[in-house]
C-alpha cells in the first residue's frame, strides 16, 4: 500500500510540475526511503497509477 501511495503522489507531482498551479505536497515525500517505495509501487501498479493520474487531470478540467 505504501508503494501505491508513494507512486501516485510522485506521479501527481511529476504531472503537475510547471503547470502554474499549486505544487503537490504530501508527507510521504519526507519519508527517507520515498524513492525506493515509489519505484516499487510504480513497478507493481504503474498502469493503475497512470489511470488514476489521468482521471484526476480530467476531473480538474471540470472544476469551474
Amino acid at each position: 500500500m505504501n508503494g501505491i501511495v508513494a507512486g501516485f503522489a510522485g506521479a501527481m507531482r511529476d504531472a503537475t510540475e510547471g503547470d502554474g498551479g499549486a505544487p503537490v505536497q504530501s508527507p510521504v515525500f519526507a519519508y527517507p526511503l520515498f524513492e525506493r517505495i515509489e519505484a516499487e509501487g510504480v513497478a507493481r501498479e504503474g498502469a493503475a497509477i497512470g489511470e488514476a493520474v489521468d482521471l484526476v487531470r480530467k476531473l480538474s478540467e471540470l472544476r469551474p
Side-chain angles (χ1 to χ4, degrees):
M1 185 55 107
N2 290 341
I4 294 170
V5 171
F8 179 72
M12 285 300 302
R13 179 174 59 183
D14 294 346
T16 59
E17 280 183 332
D19 70 356
V24 173
Q25 297 179 11
S26 174
V28 74
F29 297 142
Y31 184 68
L33 299 175
F34 169 73
E35 298 288 334
R36 180 174 156 208
I37 63 171
E38 177 189 26
E40 291 172 357
V42 169
R44 273 193 317 253
E45 300 293 338
I49 290 170
E51 290 176 17
V53 170
D54 290 342
L55 179 59
V56 170
R57 280 189 186 146
K58 289 176 185 173
L59 291 172
S60 70
E61 292 171 2
L62 297 175
R63 288 179 58 195

